[in-house]
Amino acid sequence: MKRNPILTRTVALAGALLLAGCTAGSSGTSASKGNGDKVTLTFLTFETPNLDAKYWDAAIARASAKVPGVTIKKLVSPSADRTGYAKQLDSTGQFPDVMIGLNPAGFAEAGKLAPWTDKELATYENPRANTYGGKVYQLPYAAQTTLVYYNKRDFAAAGIDTPPRTYRELLDDSAKLKKKGINPFVVGGGGKDSWADMFPLICTVATDVYRKTPDWLSQRAKGKVKFTDPAFVAAAQKVAGLADKGYIDRAGLSRSYADTEQAFRDGKGAMYPMGSWFSASADTKKPDFDTGVFAWPTDQGAPALPGVLGGGMTVSSKASDVPLAKKWAKAFMEDQKNLDAAVKADGLIIDIKGYSPPSTMGPVYKKTMAAYRQAQKGDGIVNSFSQETGDGSLPPGLADKAAAGVQKLIGGRMTARQFGAYMDEQWDKATR
C-alpha cells in the first residue's frame, strides 16, 4: 500500500511513533533484553476502519499471555501502507522486530527477514504459497480476494434482476443504472489511500491477463511480455472505458478509502469493487439496503477471481531474540480468539488447518466465502495484480507507481496505451 509524500516523511515518521505511544530503536536494539529473560519487541501494525486500535491491543494481549517474558511496543503505520512505513523505519535504522501484513519483497532478498521452517509452517494449509528463492518469510495464514459488492435496491430500481455474468452484461447494467440517475461504480483513492483506486484494474487484469497467462509477471521479468502488449492494454482500456462512459465517477477519486466505503454505504453508487474484507463491514455496519456479491465477469463468463494468500507475520533477522520473536508471532497468528476476531473484523478467509469461521458470521461474508470457494473448485483463482507476494511479483515500490498511474487512467489524463508504457518505464527503473 501507499507511502506518504517524501516532503512529509520525517513528520509522518515522528508523528506515528508519538501516536503509537512508543519509541522504536534500531533493529537488534529495539528488541532489547531487560532484566532476566524479559525481551521487548517492536511490533509494526496498521489501523483501518475494520482493524482499529482496540482490535490490535486485544490481539497483542492474547498473544503476549502465551509467551511469558515478552513485552510488545506497538508501532502504528501512519497509513495502511505498512510496507512503505517499514522502509522508512529501515532507512533510519529502526526496522521493527515483528511486522504483520508486510510485503516481503526486497526485505527478503536483502536478508532482513528470518525464514520460517517447515516445522513452523506445519499448521498452514498452503505453507509454501509465497516463496522467495525457495524460502518462506511470511506466515500464509489468510486469503483475500476482490469482488464486486452491489446495492440490490439500486439494481432493482434499474430493472436488473441478477448480477452480470459477462463483461457485456456488466456494461449493459451500468448503462441501465446511469439512465436511472444511479452512479454505477464507487471508486476512490485520494491522498495517502491511492492504493484504493486499484480494484477495477485488479479485476480486469485477472480476467484479461492472468486467467490466460498465470505466470505473466514472471514472463515480464524475463522480458517475454510487456505492459504495452495487447492483453494488458485491453485490461487497462476496460477501466478507462468505464470512466469515459461516466460509469466511474471521476470526482470520487479524491475520496479516502474510509470515505469511499462510506459513500457506498450511503447509497452514492450501485457497485463497489473492493477486497473481501469489506464483507465484515457490510455485515456489522449494515447499510439500509441489501448487499449482494458477484465476481467481476470475464468476456465469456468463466471465473477468474483475483486472490492473494499471506498477510501474516514476518520477523526481522536482526531481532535480539529471533526464536522468541517467532514464538510470539505464531502465538498471535494461531490463537483461536485472534483468528475469530480477525474474521469478524476483516472478513478474512483463514488458511490454517482445522479452522472454521464463527457460525455467527453474516450473509455478506458467507456469500464472499462461497464465491471464493466456488472459484477454487474450478481453478478460477488467479493472482491479484499489485498485491502479489513471493517470486513472480512486482518489484518493490511498483505497486505505488501503478496506483498513481491508475489515478491518471481513470481521470482521463492517461490512455491505456500510455499507462502500459508508463508501467514498462517504471519496471525498468525498479529493476536496474
Side-chain angles (χ1 to χ4, degrees):
M1 295 183 180
K2 318 299 157 272
R3 66 172 61 88
N4 286 337
I6 294 174
L7 290 177
T8 61
R9 170 176 164 177
T10 302
V11 174
L13 178 61
L17 292 175
L18 178 62
L19 289 172
C22 57
T23 302
S26 61
S27 285
T29 60
S30 60
S32 57
K33 291 188 178 182
N35 297 326
D37 295 326
K38 292 183 179 180
V39 174
T40 296
L41 301 172
T42 51
F43 171 45
L44 176 62
T45 186
F46 59 98
E47 293 178 2
T48 68
N50 289 4
L51 303 176
D52 57 15
K54 183 178 179 181
Y55 163 84
W56 291 112
D57 290 343
I60 289 169
R62 282 190 286 265
S64 297
K66 293 187 174 183
V67 187
V70 171
T71 298
I72 296 298
K73 284 189 175 181
K74 182 179 69 171
L75 302 179
V76 181
S77 174
S79 74
D81 180 15
R82 55 274 194 188
T83 299
Y85 188 52
K87 291 177 182 177
Q88 291 184 21
L89 293 173
D90 184 38
S91 71
T92 57
Q94 301 179 90
F95 195 53
D97 302 306
V98 184
M99 295 147 279
I100 192 166
L102 179 84
N103 187 336
F107 299 112
E109 294 87 342
K112 294 181 182 294
L113 302 176
W116 295 97
T117 67
D118 289 342
K119 183 178 180 180
E120 290 167 335
L121 295 168
T123 56
Y124 296 85
E125 291 282 3
N126 295 281
R128 305 192 66 77
N130 300 305
T131 59
Y132 293 83
K135 296 181 179 180
V136 177
Y137 294 92
Q138 182 183 65
L139 293 177
Y141 92 114
Q144 292 179 325
T145 186
T146 296
L147 291 156
V148 182
Y149 296 92
Y150 71 98
N151 183 329
K152 290 187 175 183
R153 183 178 63 198
D154 282 350
F155 269 45
I160 304 169
D161 298 324
T162 58
R165 290 158 296 187
T166 66
Y167 192 72
R168 179 70 259 171
E169 290 179 0
L170 179 68
L171 293 177
D172 291 344
D173 290 346
S174 296
K176 292 175 183 177
L177 289 161
K178 188 171 176 59
K179 188 175 181 180
K180 283 290 186 179
I182 300 169
N183 177 36
F185 283 97
V186 175
V187 177
K192 65 184 181 183
D193 294 333
S194 59
W195 58 271
D197 68 20
M198 286 293 298
F199 292 95
L201 185 67
I202 286 172
C203 291
T204 60
V205 170
T207 59
D208 288 34
V209 181
Y210 288 170
R211 178 173 170 266
K212 299 173 184 176
T213 313
D215 64 340
W216 193 90
L217 277 188
S218 293
Q219 292 194 29
R220 178 63 185 85
K222 297 174 182 177
K224 294 182 178 181
V225 296
K226 287 192 172 184
F227 290 100
T228 48
D229 287 352
F232 192 88
V233 171
Q237 181 54 48
K238 283 185 174 179
V239 177
L242 291 172
D244 289 342
K245 291 180 173 68
Y247 299 157
I248 295 177
D249 179 15
R250 285 171 168 155
L253 287 175
S254 62
R255 286 188 299 246
S256 68
Y257 162 61
D259 288 343
T260 303
E261 180 176 301
Q262 191 59 46
F264 176 70
R265 201 186 307 281
D266 290 342
K268 294 181 179 178
M271 292 180 281
Y272 182 39
M274 183 45 60
S276 49
W277 52 85
F278 176 69
S279 64
S281 177
D283 282 328
T284 57
K285 303 175 185 176
K286 296 179 182 179
D288 63 355
F289 54 82
D290 286 337
T291 302
V293 181
F294 68 89
W296 190 282
T298 60
D299 289 336
Q300 304 303 323
L305 204 60
V308 59
L309 178 60
M313 294 286 197
T314 53
V315 172
S316 169
S317 61
K318 302 299 183 183
S320 66
D321 194 326
V322 171
L324 197 59
K326 284 178 142 189
K327 184 177 180 180
W328 186 86
K330 278 176 63 66
F332 185 105
M333 290 279 85
E334 298 166 19
D335 179 82
Q336 178 76 30
K337 290 184 178 179
N338 279 3
L339 292 172
D340 288 349
V343 172
K344 291 176 182 177
D346 217 32
L348 296 181
I349 302 168
I350 300 299
D351 208 51
I352 291 178
K353 293 177 181 178
Y355 178 80
S356 296
S359 60
T360 55
M361 293 302 293
V364 181
Y365 175 80
K366 290 177 179 178
K367 292 173 190 174
T368 297
M369 277 280 292
Y372 184 81
R373 297 303 185 199
Q374 183 62 37
Q376 270 187 320
K377 291 178 182 178
D379 294 325
I381 304 293
V382 299
N383 272 333
S384 184
F385 178 64
S386 78
Q387 298 177 336
E388 303 94 342
T389 59
D391 295 324
S393 58
L394 285 176
L398 207 59
D400 295 349
K401 301 297 183 182
V406 169
Q407 281 274 331
K408 295 180 180 179
L409 180 71
I410 295 177
R413 293 174 288 139
M414 185 181 280
T415 66
R417 173 75 186 185
Q418 288 171 334
F419 178 72
Y422 162 82
M423 288 298 298
D424 280 326
E425 178 184 3
Q426 296 303 321
W427 181 288
D428 292 341
K429 288 181 179 179
T431 55
R432 282 175 187 163

